[in-house]
mmCIF file of all heavy atoms in Angstrom:
data_model
loop_
_atom_site.group_PDB
_atom_site.id
_atom_site.type_symbol
_atom_site.label_atom_id
_atom_site.label_comp_id
_atom_site.label_asym_id
_atom_site.label_seq_id
_atom_site.Cartn_x
_atom_site.Cartn_y
_atom_site.Cartn_z
ATOM 1 N N SER A 1259 127.348 79.848 114.829
ATOM 2 C CA SER A 1259 126.786 80.692 113.761
ATOM 3 C C SER A 1259 125.452 80.151 113.266
ATOM 4 O O SER A 1259 124.506 80.913 113.043
ATOM 5 C CB SER A 1259 127.764 80.789 112.591
ATOM 6 O OG SER A 1259 128.945 81.426 112.985
ATOM 7 N N ARG A 1260 125.384 78.832 113.099
ATOM 8 C CA ARG A 1260 124.145 78.223 112.621
ATOM 9 C C ARG A 1260 123.026 78.414 113.651
ATOM 10 O O ARG A 1260 121.892 78.738 113.303
ATOM 11 C CB ARG A 1260 124.373 76.741 112.336
ATOM 12 C CG ARG A 1260 123.156 76.046 111.774
ATOM 13 C CD ARG A 1260 123.416 74.593 111.374
ATOM 14 N NE ARG A 1260 123.903 73.820 112.497
ATOM 15 C CZ ARG A 1260 125.058 73.140 112.509
ATOM 16 N NH1 ARG A 1260 125.841 73.146 111.445
ATOM 17 N NH2 ARG A 1260 125.433 72.452 113.574
ATOM 18 N N GLU A 1261 123.356 78.251 114.921
ATOM 19 C CA GLU A 1261 122.378 78.424 115.990
ATOM 20 C C GLU A 1261 121.867 79.869 116.030
ATOM 21 O O GLU A 1261 120.672 80.122 116.159
ATOM 22 C CB GLU A 1261 123.002 78.039 117.332
ATOM 23 C CG GLU A 1261 122.025 78.012 118.476
ATOM 24 C CD GLU A 1261 121.031 76.866 118.404
ATOM 25 O OE1 GLU A 1261 121.297 75.860 117.727
ATOM 26 O OE2 GLU A 1261 119.971 76.992 119.031
ATOM 27 N N GLN A 1262 122.777 80.823 115.885
ATOM 28 C CA GLN A 1262 122.383 82.241 115.890
ATOM 29 C C GLN A 1262 121.521 82.572 114.680
ATOM 30 O O GLN A 1262 120.564 83.345 114.781
ATOM 31 C CB GLN A 1262 123.621 83.136 115.928
ATOM 32 C CG GLN A 1262 124.319 83.142 117.266
ATOM 33 C CD GLN A 1262 125.606 83.947 117.253
ATOM 34 O OE1 GLN A 1262 126.186 84.204 116.202
ATOM 35 N NE2 GLN A 1262 126.044 84.340 118.433
ATOM 36 N N ALA A 1263 121.819 81.984 113.534
ATOM 37 C CA ALA A 1263 121.019 82.217 112.329
ATOM 38 C C ALA A 1263 119.601 81.670 112.505
ATOM 39 O O ALA A 1263 118.623 82.307 112.094
ATOM 40 C CB ALA A 1263 121.689 81.585 111.119
ATOM 41 N N GLN A 1264 119.493 80.501 113.123
ATOM 42 C CA GLN A 1264 118.171 79.919 113.364
ATOM 43 C C GLN A 1264 117.369 80.775 114.329
ATOM 44 O O GLN A 1264 116.165 80.992 114.135
ATOM 45 C CB GLN A 1264 118.310 78.507 113.911
ATOM 46 C CG GLN A 1264 118.796 77.499 112.893
ATOM 47 C CD GLN A 1264 119.073 76.134 113.515
ATOM 48 O OE1 GLN A 1264 119.133 75.982 114.725
ATOM 49 N NE2 GLN A 1264 119.260 75.134 112.650
ATOM 50 N N GLU A 1265 118.021 81.273 115.365
ATOM 51 C CA GLU A 1265 117.338 82.144 116.323
ATOM 52 C C GLU A 1265 116.882 83.440 115.646
ATOM 53 O O GLU A 1265 115.762 83.903 115.871
ATOM 54 C CB GLU A 1265 118.253 82.469 117.502
ATOM 55 C CG GLU A 1265 118.486 81.308 118.435
ATOM 56 C CD GLU A 1265 119.496 81.624 119.530
ATOM 57 O OE1 GLU A 1265 119.983 82.776 119.597
ATOM 58 O OE2 GLU A 1265 119.794 80.729 120.325
ATOM 59 N N ALA A 1266 117.745 84.006 114.812
ATOM 60 C CA ALA A 1266 117.394 85.243 114.110
ATOM 61 C C ALA A 1266 116.212 85.018 113.172
ATOM 62 O O ALA A 1266 115.312 85.859 113.077
ATOM 63 C CB ALA A 1266 118.593 85.774 113.341
ATOM 64 N N GLN A 1267 116.196 83.873 112.485
ATOM 65 C CA GLN A 1267 115.096 83.566 111.574
ATOM 66 C C GLN A 1267 113.793 83.393 112.343
ATOM 67 O O GLN A 1267 112.742 83.885 111.918
ATOM 68 C CB GLN A 1267 115.410 82.294 110.770
ATOM 69 C CG GLN A 1267 114.353 81.951 109.737
ATOM 70 C CD GLN A 1267 114.239 83.014 108.655
ATOM 71 O OE1 GLN A 1267 115.235 83.550 108.195
ATOM 72 N NE2 GLN A 1267 113.016 83.311 108.245
ATOM 73 N N TYR A 1268 113.847 82.726 113.481
ATOM 74 C CA TYR A 1268 112.662 82.531 114.318
ATOM 75 C C TYR A 1268 112.110 83.877 114.785
ATOM 76 O O TYR A 1268 110.905 84.131 114.698
ATOM 77 C CB TYR A 1268 113.011 81.650 115.518
ATOM 78 C CG TYR A 1268 111.886 81.534 116.515
ATOM 79 C CD1 TYR A 1268 110.813 80.688 116.281
ATOM 80 C CD2 TYR A 1268 111.887 82.287 117.688
ATOM 81 C CE1 TYR A 1268 109.773 80.580 117.189
ATOM 82 C CE2 TYR A 1268 110.842 82.188 118.596
ATOM 83 C CZ TYR A 1268 109.798 81.337 118.344
ATOM 84 O OH TYR A 1268 108.762 81.254 119.242
ATOM 85 N N ILE A 1269 112.999 84.742 115.247
ATOM 86 C CA ILE A 1269 112.584 86.071 115.713
ATOM 87 C C ILE A 1269 111.971 86.871 114.566
ATOM 88 O O ILE A 1269 110.928 87.514 114.722
ATOM 89 C CB ILE A 1269 113.776 86.814 116.349
ATOM 90 C CG1 ILE A 1269 114.165 86.130 117.668
ATOM 91 C CG2 ILE A 1269 113.446 88.275 116.584
ATOM 92 C CD1 ILE A 1269 115.483 86.616 118.240
ATOM 93 N N HIS A 1270 112.611 86.814 113.399
ATOM 94 C CA HIS A 1270 112.104 87.547 112.228
ATOM 95 C C HIS A 1270 110.705 87.053 111.848
ATOM 96 O O HIS A 1270 109.799 87.864 111.596
ATOM 97 C CB HIS A 1270 113.067 87.369 111.056
ATOM 98 C CG HIS A 1270 112.611 88.019 109.800
ATOM 99 N ND1 HIS A 1270 112.642 89.382 109.608
ATOM 100 C CD2 HIS A 1270 112.082 87.499 108.665
ATOM 101 C CE1 HIS A 1270 112.156 89.662 108.417
ATOM 102 N NE2 HIS A 1270 111.811 88.541 107.822
#
Side-chain angles (χ1 to χ4, degrees):
S1259 296
R1260 183 175 58 237
E1261 188 70 21
Q1262 287 175 340
Q1264 289 174 347
E1265 288 175 3
Q1267 184 64 40
Y1268 173 78
I1269 291 169
H1270 177 74

